[in-house]
Amino acid sequence: MTERQNRKARPIRPARKTGVAAKRATSDRAATDGAAGNGAETRRGDGLVGAGRVGTGRTGTDKAEARPEDVRQSRANQKAARFGRMAKEPVGRLGAGAGTGSNAGTGAKTGTIAIADLRARFRAAMGQKRGWMRHWQECYEFALPQRNGASEQPVASGGEKKFDRVFDATAPDAVEQLAASLMAEITPPSGGWFTFEPGGNVADADRDILTARLARAASILQGHFDRSNFAVEMHQAFLDLVTAGTACLRLEADDFLSPSAFRFGAVPLRDVAFEERHDGRMDAVFRKFSLTRDEIARQWPEAKLPRDDRDAGDSPKRYAVVEAVLPDPGAFGGYQLCVFFEDGGQVSGGLAGEDGVIHRDRFDVSPYIAFRWMKAPGEVYGRSPVMKALPDIKTANKVVELVLKNASIAVTGIWQADDDGVLNPAAIRLVPGSIIPKAVGSAGLTPLDAPGRFDVSDLVLSDLRDRIRRCLLADRLGQSDQPGMTATEVLERASENARLLGATYGRLQAELLYPLIRRAIHILVRRGELPDMPLDGDVVQLRHSAPLAQLPKRVQAGQAMDWLSRIATLGPEALGEVDMPHMVRWLADQFGVPDHLLRPMMPVLPVEASVEAAMMEDAI
């Protein structure tokens, strides 16, 4: 290995952590200050691709060997340099007052959004959300009552009953199965659901080095996911997605004392309201809190606190606080953060600022990740499979309730008696061995036949349950009840799943997976554990390698295997036309088999070289 290759193959060294990490970072600036300590600048790791030209096989260590024609950078290298500058620049803290045109601490030429506009947009977003609340409430009540993320009632101390109005458990069971299947098929807890590959504009000479560094970066990122609470909160978000059609996940940067740099939280729909951009992105978020004076002081130490601290009783007074994370209209992009009192600061006696603003800051990448199951034109919030099956769910629930009432009548019975002055219905006890007196010639107690028929209700209920499970894909994504399925049947089942979830999976890729990985990489770049990674397809390309993403490849592999079996029936001559070594390697790639399990391929010699080698062997 030459000295130039040694310089290229140097491993990525993580940055040194200095200072004391902030306990709770509410913005990118807070995370940077916590990592840097007393004004010390956080040192970034080595870049994936150097400052040299990407596409010519040169890196930043080859400055002495650079030719004049290499001075002009390619488009991919310009993007890498731009992302590198963004990671170096500190995030400016916006002014605490309202108004527009005020510059950030770093001199960013972007103005703050006026507090009057923020309040108007917040009221409009809450008014648009209000029409969905009753619909969400019904979906949670019949399909996921134990979570009920749309209820505006205060959370009780715990232990209360949630299934009082649920008589049929088909829908809650199917919702949990679908959420667990999405977790296993899209973001499995075992890991390995994403990889990084060199982009299309990276030269062949740089691909091997960049592939090794990207594999190490993916391993570091996956380790932080595994050590965090990602699996727990992601499952809660999938439950919201299946039930209400919209879910929200918050990804914050944790302190250096935690085992992971990530801290996730599934935000209930009752606490958030969204705006949608003209391009369909739902990244403008308003979140409402109910906080005490001490909680506001701990979260934002520089905030002007309210004067009153107690209600009429002894409990601390709670204030309605709104956190707004909105796209920055400036040329530099990013997101503005503004925390303000919902009432405008009137209850605080004016001490919270004339406009009620508590805190202003900004994010380079939004910590909120909102995603939807499907979306109707003209609507902001998504629609769920539970909404489609809600009529059958409510009908099945009512049928079971009536069946139980009829069953109780069939067990205890309804009786009638003649009023003969002898029989006292109030004194009758229907127990074994009891003797009930009656007058001579009277009918005594006679049973009343129940009008309901159990056989008809069972037929109706069976049909309803089948439709509910079909709408919630419980029979498609769950485990099969047929253990003797052939390989062809398994591939057909996988192809059907890919067809049913094709549109939903594409939306989840755009609204969940890519924003999630981009936010996670941004946090690790801020901490100095990862280099700059522009996920633009030119330098670095993100590949989703979860089981659901592998279904099309497995279907293609099954078709190739079927074709190979048909070719084998034509005889050895037809089978000899197949390049078996390349066929085996292609099948290994389709099924996700690691490369180190295959033998290295021998280089193919040209025809002239092979003829000369044969002649030399004959001469010897």
Side-chain angles (χ1 to χ4, degrees):
M1 183 179 289
T2 62
E3 177 63 20
R4 178 180 174 182
Q5 292 173 338
N6 284 328
R7 290 196 299 268
K8 288 183 178 181
R10 289 174 183 170
I12 304 175
R13 294 188 298 272
R16 183 183 307 147
K17 302 181 179 74
T18 59
V20 180
K23 290 185 178 180
R24 188 171 180 84
T26 59
S27 66
D28 293 336
R29 175 61 182 268
T32 306
D33 294 342
N38 298 327
E41 182 180 358
T42 304
R43 183 167 57 89
R44 298 184 301 109
D46 298 333
L48 289 175
V49 180
R53 181 178 180 180
V54 179
T56 60
R58 299 182 178 273
T59 60
T61 59
D62 302 329
K63 294 180 180 179
E65 303 177 8
R67 298 190 299 269
E69 57 268 21
D70 293 335
V71 175
R72 185 177 180 180
Q73 294 180 338
S74 65
R75 182 165 61 93
N77 192 42
Q78 291 174 359
K79 289 186 177 182
R82 176 171 59 85
F83 277 87
R85 290 194 302 270
M86 287 177 62
K88 288 180 181 179
E89 294 173 355
V91 180
R93 188 179 298 274
L94 301 177
T100 59
S102 60
N103 295 332
T106 56
K109 297 180 180 179
T110 176
T112 60
I113 303 177
I115 187 61
D117 296 338
L118 284 176
R119 295 188 188 281
R121 293 172 64 175
F122 169 69
R123 288 192 295 268
M126 292 298 294
Q128 193 174 31
K129 169 191 167 183
R130 198 169 292 114
W132 291 84
M133 292 298 294
R134 187 174 180 180
H135 200 178
W136 291 341
Q137 182 68 25
E138 282 191 345
C139 292
Y140 278 103
E141 185 177 359
F142 290 101
L144 197 66
Q146 66 269 26
R147 178 165 173 82
N148 204 352
S151 175
E152 295 183 343
Q153 305 246 346
V155 180
S157 59
E160 65 277 3
K161 295 181 180 180
K162 296 293 185 71
F163 283 82
D164 288 343
R165 294 189 58 189
V166 177
F167 296 93
D168 183 71
T170 303
D173 179 68
V175 165
E176 292 185 0
Q177 287 191 26
L178 180 54
S181 299
L182 291 176
M183 185 77 182
E185 295 289 339
I186 298 179
T187 57
S190 58
W193 49 275
F194 65 90
T195 57
F196 299 123
E197 297 178 359
N201 286 345
V202 178
D204 295 337
D206 290 334
R207 282 188 174 273
D208 293 338
I209 300 174
L210 188 56
T211 300
R213 294 187 175 184
L214 288 176
R216 184 175 183 272
S219 177
I220 293 174
L221 186 58
Q222 184 64 59
H224 282 280
F225 275 114
D226 295 340
R227 296 190 299 271
S228 67
N229 61 337
F230 171 72
V232 177
E233 298 299 328
M234 192 72 249
H235 181 256
Q236 297 294 325
F238 278 134
L239 287 174
D240 289 336
L241 178 70
V242 174
T243 306
T246 306
C248 184
L249 190 70
R250 181 181 173 94
L251 174 52
E252 297 181 273
D254 213 339
D255 54 54
F256 285 102
L257 300 179
S258 301
S260 173
F262 306 146
R263 183 172 65 253
F264 293 90
V267 185
L269 290 178
R270 63 172 174 266
D271 297 337
V272 290
F274 303 100
E275 285 183 351
E276 188 180 37
R277 291 203 215 183
H278 66 279
D279 56 0
R281 285 186 290 177
M282 193 171 59
D283 54 356
V285 182
F286 296 93
R287 185 177 181 182
K288 187 176 178 180
F289 298 92
S290 178
L291 304 176
T292 63
R293 186 176 184 273
D294 294 338
E295 290 172 345
I296 296 175
R298 285 194 301 267
Q299 184 75 15
W300 301 284
E302 76 281 3
K304 297 180 180 179
L305 301 178
R307 180 182 294 112
D308 299 332
D309 190 25
R310 297 285 174 181
D311 285 327
D314 295 333
S315 59
K317 190 173 183 179
R318 308 193 75 88
Y319 300 91
V321 177
V322 179
E323 179 188 47
V325 178
L326 306 176
D328 196 334
F332 292 94
Y335 296 83
Q336 291 191 17
L337 166 68
C338 183
V339 184
F340 55 91
F341 286 102
E342 183 183 8
D343 62 351
Q346 284 84 2
V347 300
S348 60
L351 291 181
E354 296 178 358
D355 48 14
V357 174
I358 298 175
H359 176 74
R360 280 190 185 267
D361 214 317
R362 76 182 310 272
F363 294 99
D364 282 344
V365 181
S366 176
Y368 289 102
I369 304 164
F371 50 100
R372 296 163 287 192
W373 179 270
M374 64 170 291
K375 175 182 174 296
E379 295 180 349
V380 175
Y381 297 90
R383 292 189 175 268
S384 66
V386 170
M387 293 180 180
K388 182 173 64 174
L390 189 59
D392 290 334
I393 293 174
K394 296 171 68 174
T395 304
N397 192 70
K398 192 65 177 179
V399 169
V400 172
E401 181 183 0
L402 296 177
V403 167
L404 292 176
K405 290 181 178 179
N406 198 5
S408 65
I409 293 174
V411 172
T412 60
I414 300 178
W415 304 83
Q416 57 184 355
D418 295 335
D419 188 6
D420 53 4
V422 177
L423 184 64
N424 183 11
I428 294 176
R429 296 183 60 192
L430 297 177
V431 296
S434 62
I435 299 176
I436 303 174
K438 76 179 188 66
V440 177
S442 65
L445 287 178
T446 57
L448 182 66
D449 294 334
R453 293 181 57 188
F454 285 96
D455 52 351
V456 176
S457 61
D458 287 344
L459 292 176
V460 174
L461 190 59
S462 176
D463 186 42
L464 290 172
R465 287 172 174 171
D466 289 341
R467 287 205 299 266
I468 292 171
R469 296 180 65 84
R470 193 181 305 115
C471 288
L472 297 180
L473 305 176
D475 297 331
R476 290 293 178 181
L477 295 181
Q479 295 294 329
S480 174
D481 296 333
Q482 303 175 1
M485 293 178 64
T486 64
T488 304
E489 291 174 345
V490 172
L491 289 175
E492 289 295 331
R493 182 186 177 93
S495 177
E496 183 70 12
N497 293 340
R499 183 181 66 84
L500 291 175
L501 290 178
T504 301
Y505 174 65
R507 179 174 291 277
L508 291 179
Q509 269 190 320
E511 295 185 355
L512 170 63
L513 299 177
Y514 289 122
L516 175 64
I517 297 297
R518 189 179 300 113
R519 173 65 179 172
I521 290 176
H522 177 75
I523 291 175
L524 293 184
V525 168
R526 287 279 175 179
R527 289 168 62 106
E529 297 188 31
L530 282 185
D532 301 328
M533 296 176 58
L535 300 179
D536 55 354
D538 291 336
V539 180
V540 180
Q541 188 173 6
L542 174 64
R543 290 287 186 185
H544 190 222
S545 56
L548 187 59
Q550 300 296 328
L551 288 181
K553 289 186 176 182
R554 294 182 181 180
V555 172
Q556 293 179 0
Q559 294 174 352
M561 293 291 293
D562 182 62
W563 170 80
L564 191 62
S565 63
R566 296 175 186 271
I567 290 294
T569 60
L570 300 179
E573 294 81 3
L575 197 61
E577 296 295 325
V578 180
D579 191 346
M580 284 300 176
H582 285 84
M583 182 74 176
V584 170
R585 291 186 175 276
W586 181 81
L587 289 175
D589 179 68
Q590 297 298 98
F591 284 103
V593 179
D595 293 337
H596 65 271
L597 298 180
L598 302 175
R599 293 180 179 178
M601 292 190 65
M602 300 299 295
V604 180
L605 298 176
V607 178
E608 296 80 3
S610 59
V611 171
E612 293 179 359
M615 294 176 61
M616 292 180 63
E617 290 180 359
D618 294 339
I620 295 175

